Amino acid sequence: MSEFEEPLKAELTVEYPFTRTTGKVIGAFMTGLREKRLFGIKRSDGSILVPPLEYDPVSSEPLTEMVEVSQSGVVETWTWVDPPRPQSPWDTPHALALIRLDGSDTSMLHAVIADSFSEMRTGMRVIAQWKEERIGHIADLEGFIPETKEVDS
Amino acid sequence: MSKSHSFRDIAVVSVASYQTKTLSEVNEVQLMADLISKCRNSAGVTQEEIGFTCSGSSDFLAGQAFSFVHTLDSVGAFPPISESHVEMDGAFALYEAWVKLQIGEVDTALVYSYGKPSAGSIIDVLATQLDPYYVSPLWPDCFSLAALQARLLLDKGLITLEKMAEISMRSQKNGFDNPNAVRSSKDVSFENLMNEPAIVDPLRASDVSEIADGGCAIILAAEDKAKSFCERPAWIKGIDHRVDSHTLGVRDLTRAPSAFLAAEKAGINTDRLDLAEIHAMTSTQEFILEKEFGLNEKTLVNLSGGCLASDTTMASGLIRISEVARRIISGQVDRGLAHATSGTCLQQNLVCILEGE
């Protein structure tokens, strides 16, 4: 072996070494999350998109008018995730749902933190539950909990 | 495609595909070397005679940037070839090759695609294609998203659990004659399918696709070249692809408007459609597409078993085209529809109408 030199070695870390700005619309939504507020954006027909997009998904018009929406809404459809995905923000079984917030004309994907599968039903009312520490990230929103629970507690 | 007279006649002249649960001790290059050779040999062409080569595969799946470059070894890239790649299903690579042939500078093209989802966690890989700010950080898996779509269909009374089981049963029975089918059964019972527990509620194991490794290669040729390679070429009478919003909560998930539009633009004509091969990850998505295409009892659906029998990420769409084309080439059917999808919950859809003479 001594007649050969050791092969060259280099550390390689797979990474995405760039930062992106979230821009005026997504950035405003993320800032809202940090302040426990939920924002949508108004389309030219007056309807509200939540979460907000920079461009209208149908007409491609640029959108600018942010509108605050309710923290409560209705579960439009759902499924039960058990076991939770290892990379996801959740470490216990939960529902994944499309939730239409009051004041919004579209629905957003997030978790419903329910005790069990049997607690879930389409059309149930849910309310946002926030993390203590918020950094301007979609997971600042811990998820939504059944509204009845809040009334109980 | 209303002005079809202004298009060159392009046909599929040769196909080869392979799917299996797990490709062990065979890498993508070895897999594709075999399929590409089979495909070229059956058309009687060498790589030097092929004017354009286009492939579809995923770096996210391979875990390596520019991973498709390695697979060019299976083509033979010397002397230099004219080549392109899409980070999409091979059906979209076929569309690029079709456009290249329409330009008229070349008369033949090789299209191939492959995927080896067994090497990693496909449901996590697919989560990375979602909106990077609002959705991807929640890591929803593709079957959970399809389950949201399925529940909407059920809640609105557009489908029943029985109808879903019928679609799964059709796939498993049809797949029995397909050597590439990973999940198939000649005597699967409706009762057993109905009694299966949900794995991603309301979807049962038989309602979701059977993830498989594999690949597909196709040779396209124009006009007289096509006739010289193949006794009965499968002519592409129409091909079109359309896209719906990337944002899940904006779309009506019980519909696939882009599939409807693509079929219309490709000139579907359901009165003369012997076969439809549909690329769908769940029984419920298969149902949505059948409705969008307006299929009637004249059309046989997924004779191969479809993706519920074998689903190879990045190749399932191209395999649909190969399944329709090989049945036209062999004279089994005269006219068929091949469909491919991309994105989540049927966001993007391609329709290719093939016909023999």
Side-chain angles (χ1 to χ4, degrees), chain B residues 183-241:
Chain B
R183 175 171 54 192
S184 69
S185 166
K186 201 157 82 174
D187 40 36
V188 55
S189 93
F190 179 76
E191 286 67 34
N192 285 355
L193 294 178
M194 284 302 292
N195 288 333
E196 268 183 21
I199 53 160
V200 265
D201 204 274
L203 298 169
R204 299 159 294 213
S206 57
D207 290 310
V208 305
S209 69
E210 180 70 30
I211 303 291
D213 293 348
C216 179
I218 282 181
I219 288 175
L220 296 178
E223 299 164 341
D224 289 342
K225 264 274 165 60
K227 292 175 191 161
S228 74
F229 290 148
C230 177
E231 215 161 281
R232 192 177 196 244
W235 297 101
I236 297 174
K237 291 294 184 180
I239 185 165
D240 197 272
H241 67 97

Side-chain angles (χ1 to χ4, degrees), chain A residues 24-25 40-43 53-54 61-67:
Chain A
K24 283 182 183 170
V25 172
I41 201 160
K42 196 178 262 187
R43 298 166 85 169
L53 299 172
E54 287 182 13
E61 287 175 284
L63 303 175
T64 53
E65 194 184 337
M66 301 289 288
V67 181

Side-chain angles (χ1 to χ4, degrees), chain A residues 71-90:
Chain A
Q71 310 248 331
S72 308
V74 171
V75 169
E76 291 202 317
T77 181
W78 57 276
T79 187
W80 191 249
V81 183
D82 182 13
R85 300 300 309 153
Q87 306 91 328
S88 81
W90 302 284

Side-chain angles (χ1 to χ4, degrees), chain A residues 22 26 29-30 49 51-53 57 76-79 85 87-90 96 98 106-107 109-110 117 122 137-138, chain B residues 121 123-124 132-135 137-141 144-145 147-149 151-152 155 200-201 245 247-250 253:
Chain A
T22 46
I26 295 169
F29 179 80
M30 294 301 176
L49 276 175
L53 299 172
E76 291 202 317
T77 181
W78 57 276
T79 187
R85 300 300 309 153
Q87 306 91 328
S88 81
W90 302 284
L96 205 58
L98 284 173
T106 59
S107 53
L109 184 84
H110 220 288
F117 171 86
T122 304
H137 186 272
I138 191 69
Chain B
S121 170
I123 62 176
D124 293 320
Y133 306 103
Y134 296 149
V135 184
L138 307 178
W139 290 90
D141 71 87
S144 290
L145 294 175
L148 298 178
Q149 189 175 33
R151 188 178 308 281
L152 277 172
D155 283 345
V200 265
D201 204 274
S245 173
T247 308
L248 280 169
V250 167
L253 292 180

Side-chain angles (χ1 to χ4, degrees), chain B residues 9 227 231-235 237 328 333-334 355-357:
Chain B
D9 292 329
K227 292 175 191 161
E231 215 161 281
R232 192 177 196 244
W235 297 101
K237 291 294 184 180
I328 290 171
V333 301
D334 291 327
E355 191 172 340
E357 268 167 4

Side-chain angles (χ1 to χ4, degrees), chain B residues 22 55 67 100 112 151 188 193 197 232 247 285 293 306 314:
Chain B
T22 306
S55 62
S67 59
K100 189 90 171 174
Y112 64 91
R151 188 178 308 281
V188 55
L193 294 178
R232 192 177 196 244
T247 308
Q285 291 184 357
F293 298 148
M314 311 316 281

Side-chain angles (χ1 to χ4, degrees), chain B residues 129-357:
Chain B
Q129 73 179 327
L130 301 163
D131 179 302
Y133 306 103
Y134 296 149
V135 184
S136 222
L138 307 178
W139 290 90
D141 71 87
C142 52
F143 293 125
S144 290
L145 294 175
L148 298 178
Q149 189 175 33
R151 188 178 308 281
L152 277 172
L153 288 166
L154 285 163
D155 283 345
K156 291 187 177 178
L158 297 169
I159 200 171
T160 58
L161 290 167
E162 287 78 11
K163 177 68 192 169
M164 288 157 63
E166 279 171 25
I167 292 170
S168 308
M169 190 163 74
R170 175 180 71 193
S171 160
Q172 294 196 26
K173 287 192 170 173
N174 284 348
F176 191 76
D177 296 321
N178 177 5
N180 286 342
V182 171
R183 175 171 54 192
S184 69
S185 166
K186 201 157 82 174
D187 40 36
V188 55
S189 93
F190 179 76
E191 286 67 34
N192 285 355
L193 294 178
M194 284 302 292
N195 288 333
E196 268 183 21
I199 53 160
V200 265
D201 204 274
L203 298 169
R204 299 159 294 213
S206 57
D207 290 310
V208 305
S209 69
E210 180 70 30
I211 303 291
D213 293 348
C216 179
I218 282 181
I219 288 175
L220 296 178
E223 299 164 341
D224 289 342
K225 264 274 165 60
K227 292 175 191 161
S228 74
F229 290 148
C230 177
E231 215 161 281
R232 192 177 196 244
W235 297 101
I236 297 174
K237 291 294 184 180
I239 185 165
D240 197 272
H241 67 97
R242 301 280 159 165
V243 59
D244 288 313
S245 173
H246 188 251
T247 308
L248 280 169
V250 167
R251 285 153 59 195
D252 173 1
L253 292 180
T254 66
R255 295 278 322 269
S258 57
F260 175 85
L261 190 58
E264 191 183 67
K265 297 284 180 189
I268 177 170
N269 187 7
T270 49
D271 288 339
R272 284 184 56 240
L273 204 59
D274 303 323
L275 170 65
E277 280 283 338
I278 294 174
H279 179 190
M281 202 167 224
T282 59
S283 59
T284 41
Q285 291 184 357
E286 217 169 290
F287 173 81
I288 290 170
L289 291 162
E290 276 187 55
K291 295 262 276 197
E292 293 296 351
F293 298 148
L295 300 182
N296 57 47
E297 65 288 345
K298 287 178 196 163
T299 306
L300 296 167
V301 179
N302 283 357
L303 277 183
S304 65
C307 297
L308 298 180
S310 268
D311 187 7
T312 300
T313 316
M314 311 316 281
S316 279
L318 189 63
I319 289 171
R320 305 279 72 74
I321 296 173
S322 111
E323 285 293 330
V324 173
R326 79 179 174 85
R327 286 184 166 86
I328 290 171
I329 291 168
S330 71
Q332 189 187 341
V333 301
D334 291 327
R335 190 169 181 277
L337 173 152
H339 159 264
T341 194
S342 186
T344 195
C345 294
L346 305 175
Q347 186 212 350
Q348 181 164 357
N349 293 283
L350 177 149
V351 170
C352 178
I353 304 293
L354 295 149
E355 191 172 340
E357 268 167 4

